[in-house]
Amino acid sequence: MDRLAEQPSATVPRLAGAKQAEESHRTVGPGSRWAWVEPSVWSARMLQALEQGVKGGIWFSLIDKVYKRSNLWSSWSKVAANKGAAGVDHVTVKQYERHVERHIGHLTEELKAGRYRPKAIRRCYIPKPGSARGRPLGIPTVQDRVVQGALRHVLEPIFEKHFHEHSYGFRPGRGCKDALRRVQELLDAGYRYVVDVDLKSYFDTIPHQPLLERVSQKVADGRVLKLIESFLTQGVLEGLDEWTPTSGAPQGAVLSPLLSNIYLDPLDHLMARQGFQMVRYADDFVILCQSEQEAERALAEVQRWAAQSALTLHPEKTRIVDERQAGFDFLGYHFGHGQREPGKKSLNKLKGAIRDKTHRLNGSPMVCIIGTVNQTLRGWFGYFKHSRRETFAPLDAWIRMRLRSILRRRHGGRGRGGGHDHYRWPNAYFAKLGLFSLLQAHRLACQSARTVTH
C-alpha cells in the first residue's frame, strides 16, 4: 500500500428535464472533461466557446443563465440532497420544498429584475482541534443556497479551465487523495525539504475588493459581479449580534469554495513559473523542494505574495522541515522518515468518535454497539488505509479494550478491560460479532493492490 489508489471522478446529478442539453455535450471535443457542468447552462455552443476562448478572455451577459428556471431547479435539487440546517429565517429544506415551485418562480423574477437581496447568514461554531471556540461556520438561508448554487453553475467552468493542475481542493474530479498522491510522488523523487504553509484565518480574511477584481478579469457582467458582492457583504448573525463583514468568504456558503480558489490561483501559477513544486488543497498547501536553500526562496516568495494580497502567514505554524527528520502533516496524514501515517489530530478525532460510542454504561446489545463502531471504522479506514502497517494493530487493540470495559462493567467489574478479560472475551469473540478489524482490512487491501499490479 505504498501508493494511493485511484479514485473515481466526482459526478454531478442532473435534472431529468435537461436530457437534450446533456446529450449535446457529447458532441463537444473535450468529451468527459466537462461532463460535470450544469447542462441547462452550458450548452454545446457555450462549451465550444469555453474551449476556444472568448474575445478578450472575458465573459459578458451571464445573469440570464443564473436566473434561468432550469438552472435554479438544478441548484435546488442539490440543496435538497445536501439537506443542512435552516438559516436566520428558520426555514428548513423540507419547509422550502412544500412551496418550491412558487419559490423558484419568485427567485427567477427577483433575479431578473435585479431586486434579489440575500439575508444574513447564521454563524455557529463546529469543533476544531486545539481551539476552545471552534471553527466558524456560516449557514445561509435555503433560498440563498439555491441562488449561490445557480451562480456557481455559471461561474465554475469559466475559472476551472484556467486553474492550476496541482490545486486539488473543491474542484470537480479531484480530491484529497489526488493531492496526497502528488506529495508522495515528489517525496519519492527526492523533494525532501518541505515548506509547510499555514494561512491564518484564510476564509475570514480574503479581501473583498481584490477578490472581485480577480473575478472581473474573466467576468464582465455587472449584475453578476454585484450579486457576488452582495453575498460577500451579507450580514452575519451570531446570537443576538449582527454585523456586516468587511472581508472574508464564509465557510459553509455554496459559493465560498470557488471564490477561495479564485483568490489563491495566482499564487499557484506564480510558484509554478518560478519552478517550485506546490501542492494545494483549498488553503492548505505545501511546497516541496530539493534543497534547504530552494525551500527558503520558496518561503520568501510566498511571504511576499501573501503580504501583497493582504493575507497573513501564521508565524508559528509556517515552517521549513526536512521530511527525513521532522516530518509534516498534510490533509490528515503525517509524512516523515519515508513513512505515511495518520496525524495526531486524525487519531485523536477517531478515538473521540469511538469513545462516544463505547461508554461503559452503554446499555445497547454488544452487536449493536459494534455495528455503530464499524460505521466509524470503515469510513476512517477508507481514507487512512494508505498508512504504514504498524498503524492498525494498536488501534484494533485499543478498540477491543473499550468493548471489554463495557462487558467488564456489566459483569460487576470496574476499570478498563484487561488481564483475564482477554481470555473471557478473546479477539475471536469480537470477530464473531462482526467487529471491523483495521489490520485485517489493511492486509486485504494490500493483497488486492498486489493482485492489480501483477
Side-chain angles (χ1 to χ4, degrees):
M1 294 298 292
D2 292 332
R3 296 293 178 270
L4 293 159
E6 294 292 330
Q7 298 296 305
S9 296
T11 58
V12 176
R14 290 185 172 83
L15 286 174
K19 183 177 180 181
Q20 183 177 356
E22 182 177 3
E23 288 176 347
S24 69
H25 285 195
R26 300 190 185 108
T27 65
V28 180
S32 61
R33 178 184 180 187
W34 302 111
W36 54 271
V37 303
E38 173 51 46
S40 68
V41 173
W42 288 90
S43 63
R45 184 176 179 180
M46 282 189 66
L47 285 175
Q48 287 172 350
L50 182 65
E51 280 294 317
Q52 295 169 6
V54 294
K55 186 176 181 180
I58 301 177
W59 290 75
F60 296 84
S61 303
L62 294 173
I63 190 65
D64 61 313
K65 311 297 189 301
V66 176
Y67 62 68
K68 192 175 181 181
R69 287 180 68 92
S70 54
N71 183 24
L72 290 168
W73 272 105
S74 179
S75 179
W76 153 249
S77 70
K78 295 180 179 67
V79 171
N82 291 333
K83 299 179 181 179
V88 296
D89 60 0
H90 306 293
V91 176
T92 66
V93 171
K94 284 188 176 181
Q95 290 171 334
Y96 193 88
E97 187 173 19
R98 291 173 193 161
H99 308 285
V100 65
E101 289 192 21
R102 187 181 71 194
H103 291 315
I104 295 298
H106 177 71
L107 282 180
T108 299
E109 294 305 316
E110 291 287 292
L111 289 165
K112 187 174 183 179
R115 294 191 301 263
Y116 184 83
R117 298 293 182 271
K119 291 183 171 64
I121 63 170
R122 180 168 64 87
R123 172 165 282 195
C124 61
Y125 292 85
I126 58 177
K128 178 183 178 182
S131 171
R133 194 178 190 191
R135 186 187 304 278
L137 184 68
I139 303 176
T141 64
V142 174
Q143 183 152 279
D144 286 344
R145 300 205 289 268
V146 172
V147 176
Q148 286 195 35
L151 189 55
R152 181 171 179 170
H153 287 166
V154 174
L155 295 176
E156 189 166 27
I158 294 172
F159 291 92
E160 177 64 29
K161 180 187 176 184
H162 302 280
F163 281 158
H164 195 271
E165 63 176 322
H166 295 309
S167 160
Y168 298 94
F170 307 126
R171 295 183 60 189
R174 292 165 174 256
C176 290
K177 290 193 175 182
D178 300 300
L180 292 165
R181 188 180 299 113
R182 175 61 178 167
V183 168
Q184 189 63 58
E185 288 174 353
L186 291 167
L187 290 172
D188 292 344
Y191 291 78
R192 297 293 185 176
Y193 292 89
V194 180
V195 184
D196 187 3
V197 180
D198 187 281
L199 288 173
K200 192 173 182 179
S201 302
Y202 171 63
F203 279 86
D204 285 339
T205 59
I206 302 174
H208 290 166
Q209 196 55 42
L211 170 59
L212 289 168
E213 289 172 0
R214 289 178 190 179
V215 175
S216 66
Q217 290 173 4
K218 291 183 174 62
V219 174
D221 188 319
R223 293 172 66 184
V224 168
L225 294 172
K226 185 177 179 180
L227 187 58
I228 296 171
E229 185 175 14
S230 73
F231 283 117
L232 290 173
T233 57
Q234 65 190 124
V236 177
L237 183 65
E238 183 177 349
L240 298 177
D241 298 325
E242 183 173 358
W243 71 92
T244 301
T246 56
S247 64
Q251 295 188 67
V254 177
L255 200 57
S256 292
L258 174 61
L259 296 178
S260 71
N261 272 334
I262 290 172
Y263 199 68
L264 286 179
D265 184 60
L267 175 63
D268 297 333
H269 291 279
L270 172 65
M271 300 305 286
R273 285 196 303 271
Q274 299 197 8
F276 296 118
Q277 302 295 335
M278 187 169 106
V279 182
R280 182 172 68 82
Y281 188 96
D283 60 331
D284 194 358
F285 60 93
V286 289
I287 306 162
L288 292 93
C289 305
Q290 293 180 308
S291 69
E292 188 172 5
Q293 293 74 23
E294 182 187 359
E296 289 172 350
R297 291 197 304 274
L299 176 57
E301 194 60 48
V302 172
Q303 289 171 328
R304 184 162 43 250
W305 184 89
Q308 293 172 350
S309 303
L311 299 176
T312 303
L313 302 186
H314 198 294
E316 297 175 359
K317 296 181 180 179
T318 299
R319 61 196 183 119
I320 295 174
V321 298
D322 183 341
E323 183 269 345
R324 294 163 295 187
Q325 298 177 10
F328 64 99
D329 289 351
F330 185 59
L331 299 181
Y333 273 91
H334 179 77
F335 293 83
H337 309 285
Q339 300 285 342
R340 187 170 58 235
E341 61 187 354
K344 288 183 180 179
K345 290 182 180 178
S346 302
L347 287 173
N348 289 338
K349 187 175 180 180
L350 170 67
K351 288 188 172 183
I354 297 298
R355 285 190 184 98
D356 288 342
K357 296 182 176 184
T358 57
H359 291 294
R360 292 176 195 175
L361 295 179
N362 191 324
S364 301
M366 182 54 64
V367 67
C368 294
I369 296 174
I370 286 175
T372 63
V373 167
N374 283 351
Q375 292 175 359
T376 298
L377 293 178
R378 287 194 175 98
W380 189 87
F381 180 77
Y383 186 76
F384 288 103
K385 62 184 177 182
H386 310 286
S387 302
R388 63 191 186 102
R389 181 173 60 85
E390 292 78 8
T391 298
F392 303 105
L395 284 173
D396 279 341
W398 181 82
I399 293 163
R400 288 191 295 265
M401 179 276 294
R402 297 285 304 177
L403 298 175
R404 288 189 181 103
S405 298
I406 296 173
L407 294 170
R408 181 186 181 96
R409 174 84 182 195
R410 291 178 180 178
H411 287 76
R414 303 181 69 178
R416 286 184 165 193
H420 181 69
D421 297 329
H422 287 269
Y423 298 97
R424 198 173 189 182
W425 300 291
N427 296 356
Y429 170 82
F430 298 105
K432 189 175 181 180
L433 291 178
L435 179 63
F436 183 84
S437 168
L438 295 169
L439 181 60
Q440 182 62 21
H442 184 258
R443 287 172 177 164
L444 292 174
C446 288
Q447 290 173 5
S448 176
R450 284 195 290 268
T451 300
V452 171
T453 302
H454 296 294

